[in-house]
Amino acid sequence: MVRNKILLKEQVNELSKNELVDIVLKLAAKRYNYEFMLVNFLDKEGGEHTLFEQAKEDIDMLWKKDFKGSTELKKLVKKLNACTKRIAEFTIEAKNKKLEADLVLYLLELQFSNPLKMFGAHVSGYDYKVGLLVKRLIALVTKKLHPDYFVDYQDKINEFLKRLHHSSNRINTIKELPVFLE
């Protein structure tokens, strides 16, 4: 259906303020609409940071949630997928790459807080997923952010790389990651 903007504008101008408020409230009931309005109209300065905090809380809730799986590693893969999906939802409205990098770093810190024995399994795909997240963080920090931010992330990324190369270097994705970021 083709929308005629001129006709739509005329129709909206004919609505009363109360009708417009009702429409906006109904639209804001859907999360994506609310996030769009928050970032673009309601709180232009701090809207993205508010969405960042909400995404971080959601990741914490997902991290505590029990997922179904035959092994602990398969459960972790499902948790990681759910958290990665939540980060992707965050990036739809929040265009701040620094906040995106902070969320990815936060999720990686949760992964690396697991015992080292969680890495190195040959069948779960967990190492691969964590490797993809590290690769994403490296791309964000080196290509999307100002070079001054590199120092803030360098030590953590190098720590992640060291652990991954030590335990999971048989996976091509991890082999292709740098051993050390300079």
Side-chain angles (χ1 to χ4, degrees):
M1 179 175 150
V2 178
R3 290 179 275 158
N4 184 343
K5 289 185 180 181
I6 297 170
L7 179 63
L8 180 62
K9 190 173 184 177
E10 289 173 6
Q11 290 172 334
V12 169
N13 283 331
E14 292 174 8
L15 295 172
S16 71
K17 183 177 179 181
N18 288 337
E19 290 172 322
L20 287 172
V21 168
D22 289 342
I23 290 170
V24 168
L25 289 174
K26 189 169 262 186
L27 286 172
K30 299 205 183 287
R31 188 173 102 210
Y32 289 118
N33 293 340
Y34 168 72
E35 290 175 354
F36 174 79
M37 287 190 295
L38 180 69
V39 170
N40 294 303
F41 300 106
L42 302 176
D43 188 7
K44 291 181 182 180
E45 300 297 317
E48 287 184 339
H49 191 68
T50 302
L51 294 180
F52 171 78
E53 292 300 327
Q54 288 174 351
K56 203 170 171 182
E57 288 174 14
D58 291 346
I59 288 172
D60 284 338
M61 283 191 333
L62 288 168
W63 190 249
K64 293 174 184 169
K65 182 179 175 184
D66 262 348
F67 285 83
K68 293 182 181 179
S70 56
T71 66
E72 189 64 33
L73 287 174
K74 289 182 181 179
K75 292 176 187 179
L76 281 173
V77 169
K78 289 182 180 182
K79 272 186 194 185
L80 191 56
N81 286 339
C83 293
T84 304
K85 182 179 175 187
R86 180 62 184 100
I87 292 173
E89 291 169 354
F90 167 78
T91 60
I92 290 172
E93 291 303 330
K95 304 301 181 203
N96 186 330
K97 296 299 179 186
K98 167 86 168 90
L99 293 178
E100 180 182 349
D102 287 344
L103 264 184
V104 173
L105 178 67
Y106 181 72
L107 180 56
L108 281 168
E109 286 174 338
L110 288 174
Q111 302 314 305
F112 284 99
S113 68
N114 286 326
L116 190 58
K117 68 179 181 174
M118 291 298 191
F119 294 98
H122 292 279
V123 291
S124 73
Y126 179 68
D127 297 14
Y128 170 73
K129 294 286 185 177
V130 173
L132 287 178
L133 263 179
V134 171
K135 184 176 180 179
R136 179 178 178 181
L137 181 61
I138 291 171
L140 281 168
V141 170
T142 58
K143 296 177 184 163
K144 303 288 183 182
L145 293 179
H146 191 276
D148 291 346
Y149 287 117
F150 180 75
V151 175
D152 297 340
Y153 295 94
Q154 184 179 11
D155 290 340
K156 285 287 186 183
I157 292 173
N158 284 332
E159 180 184 322
F160 299 154
L161 288 170
K162 181 180 175 186
R163 284 187 71 181
L164 278 176
H165 283 297
H166 177 70
S167 63
S168 311
N169 211 23
R170 67 187 166 23
I171 300 171
N172 287 337
T173 304
I174 293 172
K175 277 185 200 175
E176 293 167 2
L177 289 173
V179 177
F180 191 75
L181 275 184
E182 296 182 47

